Amino acid sequence: MSINYISEILPSLLNGTKLTLSLFFWTLIGSLPLGILVSIGLTSKFKPLQWILNFYVWLMRGTPLLLQLIFVFYGLPIIGVVFQRYEAALFAFILNYAAYFAEIFRGGFQSINYGQYEGARVLRLSYFQTLRKIIIPQVVKIVIPSIGNEVINLVKDSSLVYVIGLGDLLRAGNVATSRDVTLVPLLMVGVIYLILVGICTYLLKKVEQRYAYYK
Amino acid sequence: MLEIKNLKKSFDGRQILNGVDLTVEDGQILCIVGPSGAGKTTLLRCITGLEAADSGEFLIDGQPFDPKGMEASDAVMGVVFQDFNLFPHLSVLENITLAPQLVLKEAKAAAEQRGLDLLDQLGLEDKGGLYPYQLSGGQKQRVAIARALAMKPKILCYDEPTSALDPQLRDEVATLLLKLKAQGMTQLVVTHDMDFAEKIADKLLKVTALDQKG
Ligand SMILES: Nc1ncnc2c1ncn2[C@@H]1O[C@H](COP(=O)(O)OP(=O)(O)OP(=O)(O)O)[C@@H](O)[C@H]1O
Ligand SMILES: [Mg+2]
């Protein structure tokens, strides 16, 4: 495993890492707020909304993400909805992860004592003020560990985009491996994933610590 | 003056309150007493708008008001819950100043100054930076009182203010409520503790269970 070879293929791997990271960030930025909204809708008293959202969550969690990617990129054009490869991936990932996040947030919302809503109510906070200032900050603290799990899954799930022909980190390693007939690129891919997950784990710890100031 | 006439409330067809009347004069303390399950908490929750009454008339200073629609009106009722319902993620001072800033649109500095004054008054002058989990039960209750007072209510309501506390603290609570009374606060206190009620009440209202037939 020569240093030369490593430095030769590293740029292409880092190029793939760029796509992996951008998919990772934009998925989180889209799916976390969407997940919160869906979880609020799941607990709404308006039944039709509940049914629709339950169906959505069932669909997203009940089928493989790989399948969803294929449907978004190859299936939706049949009904006239055409995405570029990257947008298709982002669309599928955001919808999929929002469903998982919604279920996690729903559990978080349910664990908040009803007295917190009443406490806010008699102080005449509006429903949205109550959510924003009282409920969501407490929910966030509760859900951080479960969200963290999903975030780490997302780093690795992003490799599924090979199926619609996107060049992410894993694909870059695969290309080099089959071209040069050596496992070294895949070994490096593994190391890069480990580093990414290590950074995520560290950041999640930091967030957890930020919320440790109260019990 | 708070007047309530012919308040009725049932749960799932079971009548809990059947035509309750009550009057509280300004600056007085009304104690609502009665056995467990009689409907004291339900009565308080109807008055404070946490529960919708089936029917009844609500008047404050002779003017009708809707307890359920209090968002729109001036602060009328403050509530001190049995288990306080403090916000665990906010410091004591933030618990007190949040609503005045969000609802009464007070400036942060003014709200904090008033919050500190209230803490002073309630003997919590050095507790503003603590979080609820760091407080004793009695301290939590006083924070809950300060939080309610910060909204400048006309009437302050308590549900069982002595039940979550050590028995020795009962007299302290009585002293505190009488001190607030001396400052002119109108108070409505639900309790099943007769000694406590007799110590503080200007007037007693007995609530009896309706459906204990036979
Ligand atoms: N949300 C509700 N749904 C149905 N029944 C209820 C509800 N809240 C209270 N009740 C019933 O109303 C009756 C009165 O309850 P309430 O809590 O007002 O009694 P209380 O006088 O405060 O008793 P305690 O001294 O034990 O606190 C009880 O029989 C209770 O089961
Ligand atoms: Mg009660």
Side-chain angles (χ1 to χ4, degrees), chain A residues 113-126 129 132-135 137-138 212-215, chain B residues 45 49-50 68 70-71 73-75 79 81 85-89 98-99 102-104 131 133 147 151:
Chain A
N113 188 323
Y114 196 66
Q116 291 290 303
Y117 290 91
E118 297 198 326
R121 172 105 169 273
V122 298
L123 292 169
R124 294 184 295 134
L125 266 58
S126 72
Q129 287 172 335
R132 209 161 67 80
K133 297 288 187 174
I134 308 297
I135 306 301
Q138 296 183 57
Y213 68 91
Y214 77 93
K215 291 190 183 109
Chain B
R45 289 174 61 82
L50 289 170
K68 291 289 280 183
M70 224 103 86
E71 290 83 0
S73 72
D74 289 343
V79 182
F81 292 92
N85 294 341
L86 296 179
F87 306 129
H89 63 301
L98 180 75
L102 288 180
V103 180
L104 305 180
Y131 285 85
Y133 80 93
R147 187 175 72 171
M151 291 299 284

Side-chain angles (χ1 to χ4, degrees), chain B residues 9-12 14-17 33-45 51 82 159-160 190-192 207 211-212:
Chain B
K9 175 73 189 173
S10 58
F11 284 117
D12 316 314
R14 218 176 107 230
Q15 198 75 29
I16 306 295
L17 304 170
V33 295
S36 182
K40 305 181 296 294
T41 297
T42 305
L43 175 57
L44 198 72
R45 289 174 61 82
E51 203 80 67
Q82 190 165 5
D159 192 5
E160 307 277 5
V190 161
T191 181
H192 59 248
V207 179
D211 59 353
Q212 261 132 42

